[in-house]
Amino acid sequence: MQTIRRGLLAKPFRASIAALLCASLGTFSATAQAQTKTIKLGHPQSATSAFHAGSEAFAAEVERLSKGSMKVQLFPGGTLGGEREMVEAVQLGTLEVVVTSTGPVGNFVPETLITDIPFLFRDYEHARKTLDGPIGQEILSKFPAKGMVGLAWAENGFRHVTNSKRAVNSPDDLKGLKLRTMENPIHMLAFRTLGAQPTPMAFPEVFGALQQGTVDGQENPIPVIVSSKFGQVQKNLTLTGHVYSPALFITSTAYFGSLSAEQKKVLQDAAAVGATAMRRKVNEIENKGIDDLKAQGVTVVSNVDKAKFQAALAPAYADYAKRFGAEAIDRIKAVK
Ligand code: EAX
């Protein structure tokens, strides 16, 4: 039997041990590589947006909680398409997670549309409390039937109107404006009722459409307007705050079902952390975003008579009450 003593290994045997070691190390890293789960996450906004801040926080938390066995690859800026396309990609299994506003989600899970009603939420606290509470959780419970899991409610923010034509001081000033909207029937009915021409369009096309004048204006939260540089192509901003726009971290039931219990918890806990980071970033950008836009030469109408806009929306509210039930709407309004 070959006696193996320290430093006295016969050369051929030493070489074969070394080769064995390299091979096993190689296998190990390959195995480790194979075991590392990579999660692709897409969102439509820029790398300076609240969506990206939330996505980065999500990615860091996934890696931390999984001790590096799960990693998130971020695809910002609509590189994987608009929100609707990315939700479809999640359903098809070509994308693991999408961070999206509720805008197009109502086409997949109609129960989310109630959150898109104009002037439904009083302020951020009201919106966050409602969505994180029983009402928000009830809506998320409708996702699995459509092949999706809503991991957490996140935040886009209160939406305001920009346009290149004129200052909008009252609802009448919206009449005839060609306004890009999300692919969202609740928003489109609202702007049609106000006399504008709602033009649904995927988010990645919006800057170009504003620049070419294909549409006169759009509506989005301040963080989106600032991080998408709309101030370069829009000269008027009116702080209507007409809709609170929730956002969501969404995965598919198929992908979620393929995970262990621990991995599922990693995704859910990380989405909650990402949502909190998004909410913080929305408030942070909003606090200075309006001054930034003014500095770019944007005329800002801040003294808005919201009651006037709500009164002009009466026909749309009648339709919403028919669609969702007045009690469901009142239940949200009653959240304190
Ligand atoms: O990221 O399409 C839109 O206007 C939405 O606000 C979207 O979340 C932008």
Side-chain angles (χ1 to χ4, degrees), residues 54-138:
S55 302
E56 286 181 319
F58 170 78
E61 189 68 359
V62 164
E63 196 156 343
R64 185 182 77 85
L65 293 174
S66 70
K67 298 183 176 48
S69 64
M70 297 166 83
K71 292 191 187 305
V72 180
Q73 221 179 345
L74 298 180
F75 294 88
T79 45
L80 301 182
E83 292 177 326
R84 184 187 188 124
E85 289 86 355
M86 287 191 276
V87 172
E88 286 165 353
V90 164
Q91 284 187 315
L92 289 170
T94 54
L95 182 64
E96 282 74 46
V97 175
V98 59
V99 175
T100 175
S101 74
T102 51
V105 177
N107 299 296
F108 303 88
V109 185
E111 290 81 1
T112 63
L113 288 169
I114 195 170
T115 68
D116 297 319
I117 292 177
F119 300 110
L120 176 69
F121 295 105
R122 294 183 299 277
D123 51 32
Y124 280 110
E125 191 192 349
H126 176 209
R128 294 167 183 174
K129 196 161 182 194
T130 305
L131 296 173
D132 293 347
I135 294 173
Q137 300 315 308
E138 281 165 27

Side-chain angles (χ1 to χ4, degrees), residues 44-45 51 83 100-101 103-104 156 159 180-182 201-203 206 218-221 224 245:
Q45 293 188 36
F51 270 39
E83 292 177 326
T100 175
S101 74
N156 203 9
R159 304 178 77 92
R180 178 271 174 180
T181 68
M182 297 197 279
M201 184 187 295
F203 186 73
V206 177
Q218 65 85 47
E219 45 83 51
N220 245 295
V224 178
S245 186

Side-chain angles (χ1 to χ4, degrees), residues 15 24 34 41 49 79 120 128 208 226 233 241 260 271-272 274 279:
S24 58
L41 178 153
S49 66
T79 45
L120 176 69
R128 294 167 183 174
V226 169
V233 288
S260 67
R279 289 173 173 173

